[in-house]
Amino acid sequence: MCRRHWEPINRQMTSDRGIAAAEARHNSGRQLRLDYLIATYKKPVVALIHGLVMGGGAGLSMNAPFRIVTEKTVFAMPEASFGLFSDVGASYFLSRLPCSIGEYLGLTGKRFNGSEMLACGLATHFVLSKDLPLLEKELDEAGSAASVIRKVVDRYAHKPNVKEDSPLMRVDLVNKCFSKNTVEEILQSLEKGDKATMSKKKCGKPPKKLTDPMKMPLVAPMALSTPKLSEEAARVVLQDESGLKSAASSQSNWAKEVEHNVKE
């Protein structure tokens, strides 16, 4: 194709990319505002988390005061495994999990089931999926008082056991590796032998992009540092309007820094 034919096409492609980027920023802004509204809403919000909840779905549900899971719930924040970082308020709710579990989830994209979510604090209640229709019906009739809602949910709640192969059963190893100050130190800890124990015996195989430092520069290396640093910053803010805005602002600033490193 000669140059005079190619140039109009190139201009149109450039224009289309700009429009798509603007639409993505607009939609992302709407989603973050909705997450913020749910987190600060005066009436209690009940999130019935049944099935997959990942990324944006986690942002919608994890900011609710009542987070109900079932035996079919699967949670993950997989962004770091494909060169991005967990946003939608994840730096806030992951940073408040005990024993560096938040760093583990944010950096590896590891999936947690309903019992694991309840055990680490991501969920407030565990309900059997067969009871969800009855629970939802009672909640519709319960009104908006938090104390009444809690009583209704408590009647259906269970305390399931965490499986032996869960990372939560070896939380000392998770904390030892993922409590380091930098991603580089985490990788060094994994490479020194903890990685073999965690991946082969107890914690499942972490993504290659995290455990293989030779691959990191090819997959947005800043994106791995971003969730670690944003979680540390969000850990010190209070759960009020100014605190949540600070966490969102922190993530927005880091997103600008990693944007040029993320390639499709």
Side-chain angles (χ1 to χ4, degrees):
M1 182 181 293
C2 65
R3 182 175 180 180
R4 66 186 179 88
H5 290 143
W6 169 250
E7 285 182 348
I9 297 176
N10 187 43
R11 286 196 298 269
Q12 183 61 46
M13 291 175 63
T14 302
S15 175
D16 291 344
R17 285 196 295 269
I19 294 173
E23 290 179 349
R25 286 193 294 270
H26 175 69
N27 292 333
S28 177
R30 292 179 61 187
Q31 179 182 359
L32 292 175
R33 286 192 293 272
L34 178 58
D35 295 335
Y36 172 75
L37 176 64
I38 293 173
T40 58
Y41 203 58
K42 292 183 179 180
K43 291 184 179 180
V45 177
V46 180
L48 300 178
I49 310 168
H50 179 53
L52 293 175
V53 55
M54 299 183 180
L60 291 172
S61 55
M62 291 300 104
N63 291 309
F66 294 95
R67 304 178 298 280
I68 302 171
V69 297
T70 74
E71 75 279 6
K72 297 182 180 180
T73 302
V74 179
F75 167 91
M77 298 301 293
E79 290 82 357
S81 63
F82 48 83
L84 299 177
F85 70 98
S86 303
D87 56 352
V88 296
S91 64
Y92 185 85
F93 60 77
L94 289 181
S95 68
R96 280 155 175 75
L97 300 182
C99 301
S100 302
I101 295 171
E103 285 82 355
Y104 173 68
L105 292 173
L107 289 172
T108 66
K110 171 70 177 179
R111 296 185 177 191
F112 266 16
N113 59 31
S115 61
E116 291 170 320
M117 291 177 68
L118 181 67
C120 74
L122 284 169
T124 58
H125 298 82
F126 182 99
V127 173
L128 296 177
S129 58
K130 66 180 181 64
D131 293 331
L132 282 182
L134 292 175
L135 172 61
E136 191 170 0
K137 182 179 179 181
E138 287 198 35
L139 288 174
D140 287 340
E141 302 170 353
S144 59
S147 58
V148 176
I149 292 174
R150 186 173 293 104
K151 288 180 181 179
V152 171
V153 178
D154 285 345
R155 287 202 296 270
Y156 292 91
H158 294 263
K159 292 185 178 181
N161 296 322
V162 176
K163 294 182 179 179
E164 286 294 326
D165 61 350
S166 169
L168 297 181
M169 300 302 289
R170 293 296 182 271
V171 72
D172 54 336
L173 289 176
V174 174
N175 191 52
K176 180 178 179 181
C177 288
F178 289 87
S179 62
K180 309 300 182 184
N181 293 325
T182 67
V183 172
E184 290 76 14
E185 289 177 322
I186 291 175
L187 287 170
Q188 289 173 7
S189 180
L190 292 170
E191 292 294 339
K192 285 180 180 178
D194 293 328
K195 178 186 70 174
T197 302
M198 293 175 66
S199 64
K200 295 180 181 179
K201 295 182 180 180
K202 301 300 178 184
C203 295
K205 186 178 181 181
K208 185 177 181 181
K209 293 172 186 175
L210 178 65
T211 59
D212 187 350
M214 298 303 293
K215 296 294 183 181
M216 285 179 58
L218 301 179
V219 192
M222 274 293 296
L224 288 177
S225 297
T226 297
K228 174 66 175 173
L229 294 172
S230 61
E231 287 174 23
E232 290 175 352
R235 187 176 289 115
V236 300
V237 301
L238 299 176
Q239 190 173 10
D240 57 14
E241 294 187 9
S242 60
L244 289 168
K245 286 180 179 177
S246 296
S249 175
S250 172
Q251 288 190 332
S252 176
N253 291 335
W254 281 110
K256 293 176 182 177
E257 288 198 38
V258 303
E259 185 176 359
H260 69 280
N261 277 330
V262 180
K263 303 295 183 181
E264 294 185 3

